[in-house]
Amino acid sequence: MSFQDFGFIDPVLRGIEAMGYESATPIQERSIPVILNGSDLMGSAQTGTGKTAAFALPILHKLQAHGACRCLVLEPTRELAAQVETAFREYGKFTDLRVALIQGGVSFGPQRQQIEQGPDVIVATPGRLLDFLEQGEISLKDLQFLVLDEVDRMLDMGFLPQVRRIVEKCPKSRQTLFFSATLPPEIATMTQWVLKNPEVIEIGATRMPADTVTHALYPVAKDQKFDLLLALLERTHYESCIIFTSTKIAADQIAGRLEKLNHAVVALHSNRSQSERVEALEGFKSGKYEVLVATDIAARGLDIAGVSHVINYDVPGHPEDYVHRIGRTGRAKNVGDAFTIFTAEEIDTVRSIERFIQAKIPRQKLEGFEYIYTALFNEQSLTPGGVGKGVRTLKGYSFGARRRR
Ligand code: AMP
């Protein structure tokens, strides 16, 4: 379906063209008419499906031209808020609409200036927005669109009370768009007080990783985890790689050890300052860093183009996080690989992930790596092979010795 078919105003169509989008993705095809119609929406979709444009484009179309603050988008993390704000700016760059980013961790001054300039759209994290709302510096009285994005993450992070206070300050006559990758029972309760007769749109099975991602498990003895990580990095021809760890300490330690071995690496987690987090993400996006070592803060929704590989240094504790983590690669029709290193202690977690995604993840043994024996090797279906071998072959994708710096 072409974007012309939605009847968007010309400046929005030019924004889409400038982004190089040729046709709408499935979630866009289904959500855009609903939003244009004025209905509330409850959408669940896999990561990397084009969800941001699915809500941003019809909102920009309906806002048309600069006026009062009419749209509020709530995001669970500062990184996501920044990403969505950038998307609004880019899609709307041929309109005169103004977008403000309100997030914690940075000083109030510049944000206050953005508010004074009269934004049409505010993209915010809940805490800082509430500060401004409670001091009377932002008014939501003219609000027409409320977007609650990544709601399951918002709940995980304990933002529900703040979100409730914010929703209470919004006019009742608004249109509400609600997105969540997974829909646990708590969210059902929330939808009842936030949404009015929503259209429900579910794209694909939310439990499944995108089918452009090839994933495999690498069993190993605990003492050899770091060595196996190094071997995987050395033998993989990666463009850019995110390594996920379960703790902030582990993220720092691994980044430190890789740095000593001359990898261009940076760590991203919530104990780093806002400026460090921005520098890490920008550096990773620009190619200054080839490896980003991150906790789950980076797993949700972040759109980093060209991540060719994800390595889970630890098996994620929540099965949904597995889907989110490996969803960082293989985005928007590109292909990617995800490797998960795991030890005997983690076998139950692996099984719960397999139950969740309703598929067995192939086990791999890295050829030529000097393994210490682990009982995991007695598991059936362990394929000896190099990195990626024995898994679905990917067109135009190369594996081999890598020494780039
Ligand atoms: P999202 O799911 O919103 O994070 O989007 C994932 C990626 O898909 C982003 O890099 C978008 O720029 C890209 N994208 C969104 N819509 C389209 C489209 N219709 N055609 C091509 N790429 C798109």
Side-chain angles (χ1 to χ4, degrees), residues 12 27 32 49 152 270:
V12 172
I27 192 167
I32 292 172
T49 50
D152 51 351
S270 57

Side-chain angles (χ1 to χ4, degrees), residues 3 21 23-25 28 48-52 303 331-332:
F3 285 102
Y21 299 171
S23 55
T25 65
Q28 292 164 0
T49 50
K51 177 169 50 107
T52 314
D303 178 31
R331 290 174 77 72

Side-chain angles (χ1 to χ4, degrees), residues 3 16 19-25 27-28 46-55 57 80 83-84 87 90-91 150 301-305 328 331-333:
F3 285 102
I16 298 167
M19 292 299 285
Y21 299 171
E22 284 166 8
S23 55
T25 65
I27 192 167
Q28 292 164 0
Q46 288 175 262
T47 53
T49 50
K51 177 169 50 107
T52 314
F55 64 79
L57 297 173
L80 271 172
Q83 186 175 297
V84 169
E90 282 180 352
Y91 299 143
E150 303 273 335
L302 288 189
D303 178 31
I304 304 169
R328 298 310 86 224
R331 290 174 77 72
K333 299 169 193 159

Side-chain angles (χ1 to χ4, degrees), residues 98-329:
R98 298 177 194 168
V99 188
L101 174 64
I102 304 295
Q103 47 161 358
V106 287
S107 62
F108 280 76
Q111 296 184 0
R112 193 162 278 133
Q113 267 172 10
Q114 285 187 52
I115 296 164
E116 282 161 8
Q117 282 162 11
D120 300 279
V121 177
I122 292 181
V123 184
T125 52
R128 177 62 62 92
L129 179 74
L130 263 182
D131 289 341
F132 279 113
L133 284 173
E134 281 167 1
Q135 284 160 30
E137 292 184 65
I138 293 180
S139 157
L140 299 179
K141 74 174 174 37
D142 295 309
L143 203 80
Q144 295 170 4
F145 304 97
L146 172 65
V147 182
L148 301 176
D149 196 17
E150 303 273 335
V151 179
D152 51 351
R153 188 58 166 179
M154 220 103 77
L155 293 190
D156 281 356
M157 295 175 72
F159 286 146
L160 189 53
Q162 280 122 307
V163 173
R164 187 184 280 270
R165 275 161 58 204
I166 293 169
V167 173
E168 278 162 3
K169 293 182 191 293
C170 297
K172 295 230 173 341
S173 59
R174 66 179 191 263
Q175 184 177 6
T176 309
L177 314 175
F178 187 100
F179 293 93
S180 190
T182 53
L183 293 172
E186 303 90 303
I187 291 192
T189 333
M190 188 175 173
T191 55
Q192 284 161 17
W193 56 266
V194 172
L195 293 164
K196 264 191 237 142
N197 304 324
E199 295 270 349
V200 179
I201 293 181
E202 198 171 330
I203 299 291
T206 49
R207 294 166 164 242
M208 292 303 291
D211 62 9
T212 45
V213 180
T214 301
H215 51 142
L217 290 168
Y218 284 81
V220 74
K222 206 171 174 186
D223 292 348
Q224 284 195 304
K225 276 178 87 170
F226 188 75
D227 293 339
L228 182 64
L229 171 71
L230 275 185
L232 283 169
L233 283 177
E234 270 163 22
R235 295 193 207 175
T236 306
H237 179 83
Y238 62 86
E239 297 301 320
S240 56
C241 176
I242 304 185
I243 299 172
F244 282 108
T245 61
S246 296
T247 65
K248 298 167 202 170
I249 294 176
D252 281 335
Q253 281 171 345
I254 288 169
R257 287 176 78 177
L258 289 176
E259 195 171 11
K260 283 205 184 100
L261 296 165
N262 292 327
H263 284 273
V265 57
V266 70
L268 178 71
H269 55 69
S270 57
N271 274 6
R272 305 206 72 201
S273 70
Q274 182 60 10
S275 57
E276 286 170 333
R277 283 159 67 165
V278 169
E279 199 277 331
L281 260 187
E282 292 305 316
F284 186 62
K285 284 184 186 170
S286 70
K288 177 178 171 198
Y289 303 114
E290 291 172 339
V291 180
L292 178 77
V293 189
T295 54
D296 283 301
I297 194 176
R300 298 261 175 167
L302 288 189
D303 178 31
I304 304 169
V307 178
S308 62
H309 289 77
V310 162
I311 302 181
N312 289 320
Y313 189 74
D314 304 300
V315 180
H318 299 292
E320 309 92 80
D321 284 332
Y322 180 78
V323 179
H324 287 296
R325 285 186 184 186
I326 77 170
R328 298 310 86 224
T329 175

